[in-house]
Amino acid sequence: MALDTSDVAKIAHLARLAVSDGELDHFSTELSSILNLVEQMSSLDTTGVEPMAHPLHMTQRLRPDQVTEANDRDRFQPIAPQTEDGLYLVPKVIE
């Protein structure tokens, strides 16, 4: 799948990224090659291949689940613009 500069400009606008006109050609080439790789990988037969989260069979080291920060909610909520029932209220961003 090939992307042209207008596609990249539209994607950059939607992602709120500042991309100069000089960078559009470069990014359209790079993104097109990534999409071509994904297309090639999608065409492979993966029957019998077990899904995995990591290519190595190893367990992640986990840190102990301990509180490391003090609870300063009572100190910060009075200066917040809007709070309700101990929660911070923020404006709706996505319709």
Side-chain angles (χ1 to χ4, degrees), residues 17-86:
L17 297 173
V19 178
S20 69
D21 292 337
E23 294 174 313
L24 288 176
D25 285 331
H26 170 73
F27 286 128
S28 66
T29 304
E30 292 292 315
L31 289 172
S32 294
S33 66
I34 291 170
L35 291 175
N36 287 334
L37 177 63
V38 170
E39 192 174 323
Q40 287 176 7
M41 292 172 67
S42 295
S43 67
L44 295 174
D45 180 22
T46 57
T47 306
V49 176
E50 186 178 329
M52 54 182 12
H54 194 277
L56 302 176
H57 295 290
M58 53 192 299
T59 306
Q60 292 287 337
R61 291 177 291 159
L62 299 176
R63 63 173 172 75
D65 191 13
Q66 298 174 344
V67 176
T68 58
E69 299 290 325
N71 183 358
D72 290 330
R73 183 188 331 189
D74 295 334
R75 194 173 100 204
F76 292 125
Q77 285 205 339
I79 59 174
Q82 289 183 301
T83 61
E84 182 179 299
D85 298 326

